[in-house]
Amino acid sequence: IPNLGKIIGRTDEPTVQVGGREAQQRLMFLFRMLFRATCSPSHPIVLFLDDLQWADEASLQLLRVLATDEQISSLLLVGTYRDNEVGPDHPLMAHMEDIRRSGTVNVTPVHVGNMDVDSINSLVSHALRAMPRTTRPLSEAVANKTGGNALFAVQFLASLVDSALLRFSLTSRRWEWDLESIEARDIADNVVGLMTTKLLRLDRAVHQALRVAAAFGMQCQGELLRILDRVHEGSPDGEILPPVADGGGGCGGGGMVRSIAGLLDVAVSEGLMTRSSEHDDDAAFCYRFSHDQIRSAAYMLVPESEREYFHLSIGRCLWKWSTQEEMETYLFVVVDQLHRGVSIIDDRDEKVNLARLCLLAGQKASGMSVFLPASVYLKAGISLLVEDDWEDHRDLCLNLYNSCAETEYILADFITMREHLERVLRQARSLREKLRAYYTLCQSLGAQGNLSDAIDTSIKVLGHLGESIPTPTPEATKVEVMTTAKLCRDITKESLGEAKIMEDSDKKEAMRFLNVISLYVFLEKQHYLPAIICRMVCLSLLHGISRESAPAFANFGIIMCTQRNYRGAYRFGKLAIAILERLQAKEFHARVHGVVNAYLNNWIEPLQSCLPEHKHAIEVGLLTGDTEFAMVNAQLYLGTALTSGEPLGPLLEEMEIYTKQMVEYRQMGMHKLINPLQQTALNFSGRSADPVKFIGEEMEEESLLRNAEEGGNKAFTSMVFFYRMWLAYFFGAYEVAAELAEKNSIVEKHKRPRFSIVCNHTFYKGLTALALARRTNDGKWRAIADEAIEGMKVWAGMSEWNCLHKLKLLEAEHAYLDGGDLSQVAEAYNSAIKTAAKHRFIHERALSLERAGIFFLEGIGDHRTASGLFVQSRDCYKEWGAHGKAKQVQEHYL
């Protein structure tokens, strides 16, 4: 939007280059941000879009996105379409149904039919400045002739003026008409016929100009007309628009050759076209037909048998007489004109050159994130190829087929995509010629859920690239991780800043394939993950870093976490960020920061410090079109915010926003993982009949768990078990909490070592064991509690901020269980309370106050002190937003 730069300024910062679906998602996100910034109750915006029956899929998708975005306020969308051209299968209807189903938009249909006699009479009386009763007979005649069609009626009135059947009398100073002649007059059956009759009365040169303008569609740019004017400077192609010398009775004077623009100005004066211009002295103007029916009438001036040649001639002229800069600007127009006459092209070289233009047009359209037109251009180019071109123009064939397959992958047209990829793989003579097709194939297999096939195909390609990936064994994996860690021992942020950039083309391709399947093996074949990540890190150290090195180093940090080397993991997170910043690899920003801030940093840094990083990663992910990892960061942000004690009221509002975004971006996996978080927050808030069970507004536990277990979704079941255990402990259901902790023992194996889950699982499992040990005096609970305390001591030594208050509460509960010195036990509770407050964990401060109150009430019998602690606990729970828990404290202890 060039004029936007005049308001907000321009930036020299390079745009992040992304492709495919990411570019499409980025475009949608930027439009949403623009409307969010510009629409407000004080400055509402009305967006009117005409002729939606002709809108392409991308435009309709953008319209739906803007209409359903709840963060855009004070925007009124008005769209019009011809219902006689839109059937139930039209894309517009599908998008309208999606908008209605969203439940966030008031959709008001308004049917606009033809004008009745009263409406026509209002129009006529207003136009003629006469009393309605006097114009009624004329209006009835117009209605009978035109059927009430608005354009037909207006043009019919104009034709009456042209034929003097409707005229202004200077004597009477009013409009007069010959009603009898008007009623007897024969006119065309439709507006196109009427307009054609009107056009034929114009000068022949104007006809020619209108024919050219109609060939471009509803509007044509002034610069295109100037290019065609060059044809008259000695080109035999001038016959498509012969020079028009005005002999005095034509359109101009002085026997001068008229420009096409000058001839179209005559049509403007007749009301057939409009001219828009920023400046009168440059090419920033265009001509537009006043109505598509007028354009249809002008196009009818070209005999049907001559239309293909007519378009081809215009295309050839533009191709021949355009400068390189003009050709780049009007590439789509040139290709469109040439292709309308492609059936009469006989010359093989011309067809090949046109195929090259189609490739350029397809690539340009893809770069603009309009993939359906890109697909059309590329398929048109393919249609011009013959078998011999695979020998004579090999690069052209490979580029056309590969580019077309890539756009079809983005458009989810997997069947046609597969056909084009198979053609490339059959014709290719070397691995180098196959790599691009294989990469698209692997991505498409992953997108269709065929993860095993995607992994197997990628491993096969990697073998050809010299990076074979054998089936991993535990022993081999252990050796490879140790070898990689040893290789990285002396690597620092400073040394990475000076490291060479990867240049070997085979290794760069290998990094691309390894990066793609690293996602798939995480979901499908996790035993391959260490081998994949280690290989990426080693390639980066031995052959130079690449953009894919950033996620590789971050993921190696996760491997270090699984081995409980938390400081080493933290170091690799910092190295990943250093690579990301050095190479400005923003397309990986959301992915890398999601890993670093959820899995690596919190073992050392304060838990709350990652929250703004996650939110920034969401924004960058949406900005670069990486909606998948933007929503991963949203899920990680919400989970971390919940376990770090962020206020539940605003957090529930954010959960609502992000869940809707996940549905909109079709990230249903992340949407499902947010359900337990939302229900946990609702239970704490008092918005559930049973605070210990997930039965409420967001989920019904039993059916969801059953479906997750049947589908093998261990991540979801683990999350449900964790948050239910959390609730069960807080609300005093210790046996339930212990059972859930036992079911969720997978967390303790560090397969997915996310700090906020692993640490809190150990913490609340230990507290549960201490509560049960005090109740049952069973030794097994003491053993579990002792193990939890030992683990928390290790973590508190690395991250005092996150773990020290947890350790102190565990130790206070353990001292209470042991029956030690009561003053020392009281001091231990007090220390836990103060540390939790200092480190801003309000929910665990509230918990420490509650547990201290129980100690004073049940262990000492000091009701007064206990009551004061319970009041403070209740108030802290309220401040957190846990009104359900505050109510329980009030009812049980106050």
Side-chain angles (χ1 to χ4, degrees):
I1 308 177
N3 284 340
L4 190 60
K6 299 175 182 178
I7 301 173
I8 64 175
R10 299 182 183 275
T11 176
D12 295 327
E13 184 178 342
T15 303
V16 181
Q17 294 300 313
V18 295
R21 296 178 182 178
E22 291 81 7
Q24 197 171 32
Q25 295 290 357
R26 177 171 69 177
L27 183 67
M28 298 293 175
F29 174 70
L30 289 171
F31 267 106
R32 292 167 69 169
M33 295 303 291
L34 173 64
F35 277 87
R36 288 178 190 176
T38 53
C39 299
S40 67
S42 59
H43 294 89
I45 287 181
V46 178
L47 178 61
F48 176 73
L49 299 171
D50 197 8
D51 290 321
L52 289 177
Q53 72 274 6
W54 296 329
D56 64 299
E57 178 65 26
S59 299
L60 292 173
Q61 187 177 354
L62 176 60
L63 178 64
R64 176 181 57 79
V65 164
L66 293 177
T68 57
D69 190 331
E70 290 191 54
Q71 296 184 60
I72 299 176
S73 61
S74 305
L75 171 65
L76 174 64
L77 284 169
V78 181
T80 65
Y81 65 94
R82 297 175 185 169
D83 54 7
N84 62 321
E85 296 183 23
V86 174
D89 296 332
H90 194 283
L92 175 61
M93 294 294 99
H95 284 279
M96 288 299 299
E97 186 59 30
D98 287 343
I99 292 172
R100 289 190 185 94
R101 280 202 305 262
S102 71
T104 61
V105 186
N106 293 323
V107 179
T108 305
V110 178
H111 179 74
V112 181
N114 288 335
M115 297 188 295
D116 57 19
V117 175
D118 291 336
S119 299
I120 292 177
N121 196 36
S122 295
L123 171 68
V124 173
S125 64
H126 179 76
L128 303 185
R129 297 188 179 183
M131 297 294 291
R133 58 182 173 77
T134 63
T135 58
R136 183 77 182 191
L138 174 61
S139 299
E140 291 174 350
V142 173
N144 290 333
K145 293 289 184 179
T146 65
N149 180 284
L151 175 65
F152 202 173
V154 170
Q155 293 299 327
F156 179 64
L157 287 169
S159 72
L160 295 180
V161 175
D162 293 339
S163 59
L165 295 178
L166 175 63
R167 56 196 175 279
F168 186 77
S169 171
L170 293 176
T171 305
S172 61
R173 294 191 177 183
R174 62 183 178 84
W175 286 91
E176 297 177 349
W177 53 88
D178 186 344
L179 186 59
E180 185 176 339
S181 297
I182 292 172
E183 291 175 340
R185 185 179 183 190
D186 289 329
I187 65 168
D189 294 333
N190 54 55
V191 71
V192 176
L194 180 67
M195 296 311 303
T196 303
T197 302
K198 180 173 183 176
L199 293 177
L200 289 173
R201 292 200 301 269
L202 299 175
D203 188 273
R204 181 175 176 274
V206 178
H207 295 174
Q208 295 284 64
L210 285 169
R211 281 159 36 118
V212 173
F216 293 113
M218 277 295 293
Q219 67 179 32
C220 60
Q221 299 295 321
E223 187 64 26
L224 290 171
L225 303 179
R226 292 188 177 183
I227 295 170
L228 290 176
D229 282 336
R230 297 172 196 162
V231 175
H232 299 315
E233 300 173 7
S235 168
D237 293 324
E239 63 186 26
I240 68 151
L241 229 190
V244 181
D246 188 2
C251 304
M256 298 294 293
V257 174
R258 300 290 303 277
S259 68
I260 302 174
L263 294 168
L264 292 181
D265 284 336
V266 177
V268 171
S269 67
E270 292 287 333
L272 302 174
M273 303 187 80
T274 59
R275 170 175 166 150
S276 61
S277 171
E278 292 183 4
H279 306 285
D280 291 336
D281 57 348
D282 68 8
F285 68 91
C286 72
Y287 288 92
R288 181 178 179 84
F289 285 97
S290 300
H291 196 277
D292 65 281
Q293 298 285 20
I294 298 176
R295 184 260 169 185
S296 297
Y299 192 61
M300 294 286 287
L301 295 173
V302 184
E304 188 171 354
S305 60
E306 299 176 11
R307 286 177 189 169
E308 288 186 347
Y309 179 74
F310 184 68
H311 285 290
L312 180 62
S313 298
I314 291 177
R316 283 171 171 170
C317 290
L318 292 172
W319 194 0
K320 179 178 180 179
W321 293 96
S322 296
T323 64
Q324 183 175 350
E325 183 180 352
E326 290 169 340
M327 194 66 188
E328 291 175 0
T329 302
Y330 299 110
L331 176 62
F332 297 144
V333 177
V334 175
V335 173
D336 179 60
Q337 293 297 319
L338 290 169
H339 253 284
R340 292 186 179 211
V342 71
S343 64
I344 58 176
I345 297 178
D346 297 323
D347 184 73
R348 184 77 218 127
D349 290 338
E350 186 175 7
K351 284 190 175 183
V352 170
N353 287 330
L354 178 52
R356 294 186 195 281
L357 285 185
C358 290
L359 174 62
L360 292 174
Q363 292 172 335
K364 183 177 180 179
S366 294
M368 296 166 64
S369 306
V370 282
F371 298 105
L372 187 59
S375 172
V376 172
Y377 287 126
L378 294 166
K379 287 178 181 176
I382 288 174
S383 69
L384 294 167
L385 301 177
V386 296
E387 194 63 31
D388 290 345
D389 289 326
W390 283 98
E391 294 292 333
D392 302 333
H393 307 286
R394 189 164 192 80
D395 288 343
L396 173 63
C397 294
L398 288 169
N399 280 325
L400 274 170
Y401 274 89
N402 277 315
S403 298
C404 193
E406 288 162 359
T407 59
E408 287 158 348
Y409 156 65
I410 295 164
L411 296 168
D413 183 5
F414 296 119
I415 295 176
T416 312
M417 176 213 71
R418 190 76 183 235
E419 293 173 359
H420 287 140
L421 290 179
E422 288 175 353
R423 184 71 188 276
V424 172
L425 296 174
R426 283 199 309 270
Q427 295 286 350
R429 297 170 178 168
S430 65
L431 175 63
R432 178 67 50 196
E433 290 185 344
K434 294 180 180 179
L435 284 175
R436 188 174 169 188
Y438 273 131
Y439 189 75
T440 304
L441 178 61
C442 291
Q443 285 185 303
S444 68
L445 289 170
Q448 295 173 81
N450 301 325
L451 300 185
S452 291
D453 290 343
I455 294 167
D456 293 343
T457 302
S458 296
I459 289 176
K460 174 185 173 183
V461 175
L462 286 164
H464 290 305
L465 288 168
E467 299 297 332
S468 59
I469 308 291
T471 302
T473 63
E475 296 76 17
T477 298
K478 184 177 180 180
V479 170
E480 191 154 13
V481 171
M482 290 177 62
T483 303
T484 305
K486 186 176 180 179
L487 192 64
C488 298
R489 184 179 300 163
D490 299 325
I491 300 298
T492 64
K493 289 171 62 176
E494 291 71 24
S495 63
L496 279 178
E498 299 174 358
K500 67 178 182 179
I501 305 298
M502 187 177 290
E503 295 179 352
D504 186 308
S505 59
D506 283 351
K507 302 307 177 187
K508 288 167 72 174
E509 288 292 343
M511 287 292 283
R512 290 179 73 218
F513 279 93
L514 287 165
N515 179 62
V516 167
I517 63 168
S518 66
L519 298 176
Y520 304 151
V521 297
F522 181 79
L523 298 170
E524 185 81 10
K525 298 181 178 181
Q526 286 201 5
H527 59 288
Y528 270 98
L529 185 60
I532 298 294
I533 299 305
C534 288
R535 186 66 57 87
M536 293 181 75
V537 172
C538 290
L539 285 173
S540 301
L541 296 176
L542 297 175
H543 298 279
I545 59 174
S546 69
R547 304 174 82 83
E548 291 81 9
S549 301
F553 273 71
N555 285 321
F556 192 76
I558 293 184
I559 295 174
M560 303 290 276
C561 276
T562 63
Q563 299 181 338
R564 291 172 168 77
N565 183 355
Y566 304 116
R567 293 193 184 279
Y570 178 73
R571 172 172 160 264
F572 270 90
K574 296 301 181 186
L575 294 176
I577 298 297
I579 296 171
L580 195 72
E581 292 176 350
R582 179 186 171 187
L583 300 183
Q584 289 295 296
K586 288 189 176 181
E587 68 273 24
F588 292 119
H589 182 102
R591 181 173 170 184
V592 170
H593 277 272
V595 171
V596 170
N597 289 293
Y599 291 90
L600 312 182
N601 280 1
N602 299 144
W603 296 102
I604 308 295
E605 296 181 359
L607 192 61
Q608 296 91 338
S609 67
C610 76
L611 296 178
E613 295 297 329
H614 278 310
K615 296 202 80 170
H616 182 59
I618 296 169
E619 182 179 335
V620 175
L622 293 174
L623 189 62
T624 56
D626 187 4
T627 54
E628 179 181 2
F629 277 95
M631 294 300 99
V632 167
N633 273 275
Q635 189 269 330
L636 295 172
Y637 163 77
L638 294 172
T640 305
L642 182 59
T643 55
S644 61
E646 290 294 299
L648 293 179
L651 187 58
L652 277 167
E653 293 177 4
E654 287 189 293
M655 288 179 178
E656 188 69 22
I657 291 171
Y658 286 129
T659 52
K660 289 180 178 177
Q661 284 189 352
M662 288 170 183
V663 172
E664 187 175 316
Y665 292 125
R666 294 177 172 83
Q667 299 298 320
M668 302 313 295
M670 289 302 105
H671 179 269
K672 188 174 184 178
L673 289 177
I674 282 187
N675 288 153
L677 277 66
Q678 285 181 291
Q679 195 59 56
T680 299
L682 290 168
N683 284 19
F684 273 120
S685 301
R687 292 161 60 179
S688 175
D690 187 342
V692 177
K693 292 185 176 180
F694 281 169
I695 301 174
E697 298 176 28
E698 292 303 325
M699 61 184 296
E700 196 283 309
E701 178 184 318
E702 291 185 7
S703 63
L704 282 173
L705 270 179
R706 185 169 56 252
N707 293 338
E709 288 171 350
E710 290 173 357
N713 192 337
K714 294 180 181 179
F716 178 74
T717 54
S718 176
M719 189 167 289
V720 170
F721 290 149
F722 168 73
Y723 284 108
R724 271 209 60 202
M725 177 196 72
W726 203 33
L727 287 165
Y729 176 77
F730 264 97
F731 285 96
Y734 304 126
E735 290 83 0
V736 174
E739 181 184 351
L740 290 164
E742 181 63 27
K743 285 184 176 181
N744 205 20
S745 59
I746 188 175
V747 172
E748 299 163 28
K749 297 177 182 178
H750 272 49
K751 294 294 184 182
R752 290 185 175 91
R754 182 179 166 196
F755 172 82
S756 62
I757 299 295
V758 173
C759 178
N760 281 293
H761 171 84
T762 302
F763 178 45
Y764 289 102
K765 182 180 180 181
L767 288 175
T768 299
L770 286 164
L772 290 173
R774 193 160 58 247
R775 179 180 295 180
T776 66
N777 204 28
D778 189 334
K780 78 171 185 178
W781 300 120
R782 279 182 174 271
I784 292 173
D786 290 342
E787 185 180 351
I789 290 173
E790 290 306 310
M792 199 62 66
K793 283 181 179 178
V794 174
W795 297 334
M798 295 184 299
S799 179
E800 184 178 290
W801 183 280
N802 294 327
C803 301
L804 184 59
H805 67 284
K806 293 180 173 68
L807 175 62
K808 287 181 178 293
L809 182 57
L810 284 168
E811 290 176 337
E813 289 278 285
H814 200 284
Y816 177 23
L817 174 65
D818 288 342
D821 183 271
L822 295 180
S823 62
Q824 291 182 355
V825 176
E827 180 55 34
Y829 278 113
N830 189 48
S831 180
I833 293 166
K834 288 183 176 179
T835 307
K838 179 182 177 181
H839 295 171
R840 304 203 305 273
F841 289 89
I842 190 169
H843 62 308
E844 287 167 350
R845 179 189 176 200
L847 177 62
S848 298
L849 286 162
E850 182 184 0
R851 301 311 298 182
I854 293 173
F855 163 70
F856 276 97
L857 180 65
E858 299 176 358
I860 299 179
D862 185 347
H863 290 263
R864 182 176 180 181
T865 302
S867 180
L869 290 167
F870 287 133
V871 168
Q872 291 183 66
S873 174
R874 178 200 63 195
D875 293 344
C876 283
Y877 281 127
K878 284 184 176 180
E879 185 179 345
W880 183 33
H883 299 290
K885 177 60 184 174
K887 181 181 179 182
Q888 188 209 40
V889 172
Q890 178 73 36
E891 292 175 349
H892 278 64
Y893 303 115
L894 296 173

